[in-house]
Amino acid sequence: MATIAACGEWIVSTCDSKLISIHTKQDREPFVFDCSAAEKKPKDTESDNKSDDGGADETGHDVILAVAVSPTGRLAALTDDSKRLVLFRCDSPWQCISTRWVVRRCTSLVFSQAEDQLLVADKSGDVYSFSVEEPHRTGELKLGHLSMLLALTLSPDDRYVISADRDEKIRVSHLKSPHNIQAFCLAHREFVSSLLIPAAHREWLLSGSGDGNVILWQYESGRELQRWDMRKLREAPDGTKDGEEEEKRSAVSRITSSPDGLHVVVQCERAATVQMLSLEKGTEDRLTPSHQLTLPHCPLDITFDPRGRLWVLLDSADTPFQVYTHTQDGWQRDADNAEVSRVTEALKPYWKALQPLAVAESRFEHLYKVNFDNMESYMEKKRLRLEQQKSHWGKKRMTGDGNKTPGKKRSKENKVK
């Protein structure tokens, strides 16, 4: 899984077991953290020998599963499939503050606005809170779902924790008392894969799903405000709707917002485009589809930097990054940007080795519902059975035994005796 994130003046990219942080302004040595060479978990508890599903021992491969950056860009964190939770201070130079261990493999991380705690969501449906001020303290269980959690975010005032799971549910809970549920946001037909609260509207929530829809909510009340089907918005190169493309499963893999909140970008799996939504001011503010960027390759991840530029991580060893800037004429690629060249050159030695590992068929394919329609096979078996019976009794009639039954034959034999 390859990701990209902006952390102040640093661009952070992850792939396989490595986190690589590159300074965009100065020619500095990149900071590289390799989970495969990091601290190993001591096997001193009975639970260490159990897998995520409670079965036999399951050894991780140190693959990074999720990354988070704090609101000010001073802190960063990652988690891998060996159940590490690593906290960094993003000063010059970067520093690893602590390595802790989670109970189950995690799917999403988020810092609080106060940057005093780090919340992690895991595959068993639990959310744990880890202290930032006490970087070696173990995590505290905050809340739980009955299904795998896939996305997690916090309201800008740290009042609510918003969690999304595989069973299409978005739950809005009070952070200080998570048993107190404020609302549910229920409208998706597949797993919820992405959550975002845009900067311009603190009361809004955007959610993306495996059903290909992005929904805008008023999350405190659970009310749906707007909805977009990304498959219908996607266009073929000739400007027509691509019917074949619409039939493919295309989960929303990322939703991100510009720092001023005026632009929202949606990335979908298996799509070589990203969809722009712009904030339309009026008596009632709305988001409207405004632009669509066509890319040379399917994007692996997207992010905005503090200056409002869109960074796109591509499946390409030669040009892994593209940067787009918003102008009066729309979104334009900044091809001759010195910062992009600096980041690209610094990443290339690592990316060429890791790039084949970055591309997966789908991060979400195994999460889709499986419908078992056995009526067709039942009707086919029934038809074959009836044909066999018809053929059997037809042969009996041809031999003259069609009116004889085993029961009658036995009764005649009993009378003779």
Side-chain angles (χ1 to χ4, degrees), residues 142-143 154-155 158-162 171-183 220:
K142 300 294 288 186
L143 62 90
L154 287 166
S155 61
D158 283 342
R159 183 180 179 186
Y160 299 111
V161 54
I162 305 173
R171 183 198 296 180
V172 183
S173 309
H174 289 260
L175 180 59
K176 292 185 177 179
S177 54
H179 60 276
N180 186 2
I181 299 173
Q182 174 69 22
E220 267 194 281

Side-chain angles (χ1 to χ4, degrees), residues 4-16:
I4 182 174
C7 187
E9 294 183 346
W10 299 82
I11 288 295
V12 181
S13 181
T14 66
C15 185
D16 194 49

Side-chain angles (χ1 to χ4, degrees), residues 84-101:
R84 290 184 185 88
L85 180 64
V86 187
L87 183 64
F88 301 96
R89 183 175 289 112
C90 309
D91 296 329
S92 298
W94 275 48
Q95 179 185 358
C96 176
I97 300 174
S98 68
T99 299
R100 287 175 282 191
W101 307 96

Side-chain angles (χ1 to χ4, degrees), residues 33 39 61 70 95 134 146 215 241 260 279 313 320 411:
F33 183 86
E39 177 185 346
H61 301 285
S70 67
Q95 179 185 358
E134 300 177 67
L146 296 177
I215 299 179
K241 301 296 181 183
D260 58 10
L279 182 64
L313 178 63
S411 63

Side-chain angles (χ1 to χ4, degrees), residues 335-350:
D336 299 325
N337 190 299
E339 296 178 16
V340 179
S341 300
R342 181 179 294 110
V343 173
T344 300
E345 290 303 316
L347 182 66
K348 272 186 178 180
Y350 307 97

Side-chain angles (χ1 to χ4, degrees), residues 65-78:
L65 301 177
V67 176
V69 175
S70 67
T72 63
R74 295 187 303 108
L75 300 167
L78 68 79

